[in-house]
Amino acid sequence: MASKFENRLFVDGEFTAARSGKTFDIFNPATTQKLGSVCEASVEDVDAAVEAATRAFESWSELPGAKRGDWLNRLADKLAENVEEMSHLEAITMGRPVHNDFIIPRGIDIIRYFANRASDIQGETSLSDPSLFGMTICQPFGVTGAIIPWNTPILMLAMKIGPALASGNTMVLKTSEKSPLSCLVVARCMKEIGFPRGVLNILSGFGRPCGEAIAKHMDIRKLAFTGSTATGKAIKKVAAESNLKNVTVELGGKSPLIIFEDADLAQAAADAAFSITVVSGQACMANSRVYVEESRAREFLDLIKAEINKIGTSGDPLATGTLRGPQADRVQYERILSFLDLAREEKLEVALGGDRENKTGYYIQPTVIYNAPDQSRLVKEEIFGPVLCLFTFTDEAEVLRRANDTEYGLYASVYTRDIKRALRVSKKLQAGTVGVNVTSPTTSLDLPFGGWKESGEGRELGKHALDSWTEVKTVLIRM
């Protein structure tokens, strides 16, 4: 795989250097070595991208939905030809192994899903007043914005552009400064297929000034953000203080998994191990809190340790067979290590791992902490790394209280063979998605995904995503 990569901004269908001439460096977390430099978008670049999106909006929104869908399907086809390159770029910038990479193909599936829903944006009618014929129509916002995180760039891009562009909006999208390269392959693919200019503009840069400029821009009417809860709150504040733009946020998580004594323990252990180690634990929906009925807790502990060990030792993300890579950068690495230091300070039972790996790169041992106090920071705060806290319980009401005792509410799971209990517990768990005998990262393309409480606002995927990228207008006609 070639080591060269595109490093410019993509505005109005063309690659261009940043107007300020600034660049920023990117690094390989597996080697800590510099990969090169990428153009840094400024406020002026955001303005230029918004102007391009404004010019493109009328013609794009007036296309029949099927035509917009055709363009998105053509883009998905082109992306499918470049999966290996995008996977390579995400491996060298944020450390996700290329071996059996299911995440980028999933992103392409999301684009196809929304491409095929572009003709399915409908309103409703009302005849409740005999003197009026009433109807609603769903129309695009116009120019929209998106700010995506570094852990799964192509997947996050797809979750934003799929429903936004299918609905007739145009967009200015900012990638993360940690892993901007794979999304520039999307830009190149758009250019190669002749995708209408200005419909999607892709900027590389930092939260300030680029992300802030998008959130504040008076000509952007809708914004979607995925990232930390703290940044999500800041974006909503800036958006409200500018033009009160509509904002969808998908934020952090501290997802609970409850395992009752009648569960298939082997399956639960395999699923829990995968959830906490995929993307090296850098996933907002990872099941980082696992509650096991006391009678089977030690048995489960042995099983999950074995399952984590099956995933194998970490290694070069570009090597065949590597299933676990490094943390994305030094900041992530040191943050996770600080939590492991805290576990030692609190003299907690560390059943597995608990330290850095003795090798070059930002590698951390997958860690299982047994029966930490419920009020510990390890239990309350999102660690965003391969650290799982395992607890025991004896009572359903008790475990539900503990599982819900968090400001987060993104994903929750319950493992049991009792369907009545599964439905009862699912109803009471405070989360946007509940898995029964499945856990994260399992989602469904045609069902909504998003968080309760401080895990977010609004929904992505399914018809709810199309709803969130359109404005509803009521039209009343005198009969």
Side-chain angles (χ1 to χ4, degrees):
M1 181 69 62
S3 59
K4 291 184 178 180
F5 49 80
E6 179 60 64
N7 72 340
R8 294 170 293 175
L9 313 178
F10 186 70
V11 177
D12 201 20
E14 299 291 343
F15 286 105
T16 179
R19 280 160 172 73
S20 67
K22 288 185 177 180
T23 62
F24 60 92
D25 296 335
I26 52 174
F27 296 85
N28 185 334
T31 65
T32 72
Q33 298 300 305
K34 178 179 171 180
L35 293 166
S37 299
V38 176
C39 292
E40 180 188 343
S42 64
V43 173
E44 291 74 24
D45 294 304
V46 172
D47 289 340
V50 170
E51 289 171 8
T54 301
R55 290 192 296 270
F57 173 68
E58 184 173 356
S59 59
W60 178 251
S61 62
E62 291 297 324
L63 280 179
K67 293 292 186 183
R68 293 196 299 270
D70 286 345
W71 277 114
L72 288 170
N73 270 319
R74 288 180 63 188
L75 177 59
D77 290 342
K78 193 67 177 176
L79 294 178
E81 298 173 6
N82 292 273
V83 168
E84 183 179 355
E85 180 184 4
M86 292 185 289
S87 185
H88 173 94
L89 293 172
E90 295 195 3
I92 64 173
T93 53
M94 61 74 54
R96 192 179 71 248
V98 298
H99 184 72
N100 291 337
D101 184 2
F102 66 93
I103 293 177
I104 289 175
R106 179 69 166 179
I108 295 171
D109 288 344
I110 290 171
I111 293 174
R112 292 194 196 282
Y113 170 80
F114 286 109
N116 296 324
R117 292 295 301 270
S119 295
D120 195 24
I121 301 169
Q122 301 172 335
E124 55 191 351
T125 59
S126 171
L127 295 172
S128 62
D129 185 336
S131 69
L132 296 172
F133 177 83
M135 62 180 177
T136 62
I137 54 178
C138 299
Q139 295 179 284
F141 284 88
V143 179
T144 63
I147 301 172
I148 63 172
W150 46 264
N151 56 344
T152 53
I154 294 297
L155 180 68
M156 293 294 103
L157 174 143
M159 291 178 75
K160 306 302 188 267
I161 74 168
L165 272 55
S167 303
N169 300 283
T170 56
M171 178 174 280
V172 178
L173 180 143
K174 188 193 91 66
T175 58
S176 168
E177 70 278 5
K178 295 183 183 182
S179 55
L181 302 184
S182 60
C183 291
L184 293 173
V185 176
V186 177
R188 190 191 71 218
C189 289
M190 294 174 69
K191 188 171 174 62
E192 289 174 355
I193 66 173
F195 203 95
R197 296 168 63 104
V199 171
L200 174 62
N201 306 272
I202 299 176
L203 304 178
S204 308
F206 293 87
R208 285 192 177 96
C210 183
E212 184 179 57
I214 291 172
K216 292 172 70 171
H217 207 289
M218 296 298 291
D219 293 330
I220 292 177
R221 301 304 317 183
K222 159 79 180 182
L223 173 63
F225 168 77
T226 298
S228 73
T229 297
T231 304
K233 288 179 178 180
I235 283 174
K236 285 186 69 71
K237 181 178 179 181
V238 168
E241 290 174 348
S242 55
N243 60 352
L244 205 63
K245 57 176 62 64
N246 182 293
V247 181
T248 297
V249 288
E250 194 265 286
L251 308 173
K254 196 70 178 176
S255 299
L257 187 162
I258 301 173
I259 302 170
F260 288 94
E261 64 178 0
D262 67 336
D264 181 339
L265 229 60
Q267 185 65 59
D271 293 350
F274 181 75
S275 177
I276 199 62
T277 56
V278 69
V279 203
S280 299
Q282 298 166 140
C284 50
M285 65 174 92
N287 54 210
S288 55
R289 295 183 295 143
V290 177
Y291 299 85
V292 187
E293 198 152 3
E294 190 171 68
S295 60
R296 303 194 72 185
R298 284 292 175 180
E299 180 185 355
F300 178 83
L301 178 59
D302 291 339
L303 285 169
I304 195 168
K305 286 162 63 176
E307 289 294 336
I308 289 174
N309 287 331
K310 272 186 196 177
I311 292 169
T313 57
S314 61
D316 179 2
L318 298 176
T320 300
T322 298
L323 296 179
R324 187 165 58 81
Q327 308 312 130
D329 67 356
R330 177 170 290 279
V331 172
Q332 273 301 111
Y333 177 71
E334 292 182 346
R335 172 178 165 78
I336 297 164
L337 288 177
S338 73
F339 279 99
L340 300 183
D341 290 340
L342 178 63
R344 283 189 287 272
E345 290 170 14
E346 295 183 354
K347 295 182 171 55
L348 303 180
E349 181 180 344
V350 179
L352 182 70
D355 208 341
R356 71 190 76 209
E357 293 190 354
N358 187 24
K359 61 173 67 176
T360 300
Y362 303 126
Y363 291 92
I364 288 178
Q365 298 169 349
T367 298
V368 177
I369 298 171
Y370 192 67
N371 271 335
D374 285 348
Q375 298 307 311
S376 169
R377 286 180 52 224
L378 287 147
V379 181
K380 289 295 187 182
E381 297 181 22
E382 184 177 38
I383 299 172
F384 221 61
V387 181
L388 182 148
C389 291
L390 179 62
F391 311 89
T392 62
F393 73 93
T394 57
D395 176 76
E396 181 181 310
E398 169 216 346
V399 74
L400 278 168
R401 177 188 60 76
R402 293 169 71 192
N404 289 333
D405 185 20
T406 174
E407 286 305 309
Y408 294 112
L410 188 58
Y411 204 110
S413 303
V414 53
Y415 279 65
T416 179
R417 288 186 169 94
D418 183 338
I419 187 62
K420 291 182 180 179
R421 175 160 57 195
L423 292 174
R424 183 172 66 244
V425 170
S426 295
K427 183 178 178 181
K428 292 182 179 180
L429 283 166
Q430 297 171 0
T433 298
V434 177
V436 176
N437 297 324
V438 296
T439 188
S440 64
T442 303
T443 57
S444 179
L445 291 178
D446 60 345
L447 292 174
F449 177 75
W452 286 24
K453 301 188 284 189
E454 289 194 13
S455 284
E457 189 172 89
R459 291 296 180 267
E460 297 181 306
L461 300 179
K463 70 180 183 66
H464 295 268
L466 290 171
D467 293 342
S468 74
W469 286 95
T470 55
E471 289 270 37
V472 179
K473 179 185 293 181
T474 296
V475 178
L476 301 173
I477 304 171
R478 186 184 299 278
M479 298 293 286

